[in-house]
Amino acid sequence: MKKIKDERLKLKNLKDIRVLFLIQTIGIVVGILGYDFGTKGIDGMTDNPLWYVFMITAIVSAYLSIGISVDHEAQ
């Protein structure tokens, strides 16, 4: 595959990845963890290994968003 050099295509690619990440996150939270919550309760949901993946992802996402917010406010 060739590297994308056009900035518009790079931005479009990043937006597409963001949408895919959102769909994946909703699938994890509602589909799998929601099912565990409904059948096993809160303890069963938090015992699922996907719970840890979701929490780590949320923490990293928040950390990265803070960096963008700080850069935006500095200008």
Side-chain angles (χ1 to χ4, degrees):
M1 291 182 69
K2 291 183 177 179
K3 279 190 163 186
I4 299 174
K5 295 182 180 179
D6 188 2
E7 293 296 325
R8 294 173 293 165
L9 293 177
K10 286 181 182 180
L11 184 60
K12 174 80 171 117
N13 190 27
L14 289 174
K15 287 181 181 180
D16 291 346
I17 290 171
R18 181 176 63 184
V19 169
L20 292 173
F21 175 75
L22 180 65
I23 292 170
Q24 180 182 15
T25 303
I26 290 171
I28 290 172
V29 171
V30 174
I32 299 170
L33 295 177
Y35 174 78
D36 278 349
F37 180 72
T39 58
K40 301 174 189 171
I42 192 80
D43 291 333
M45 181 180 71
T46 56
D47 288 341
N48 191 333
L50 283 177
W51 175 257
Y52 299 110
V53 172
F54 178 68
M55 286 292 108
I56 290 170
T57 303
I59 292 168
V60 169
S61 177
Y63 178 75
L64 293 173
S65 294
I66 289 172
I68 292 172
S69 298
V70 170
D71 289 343
H72 179 70
E73 293 296 324
Q75 294 178 0

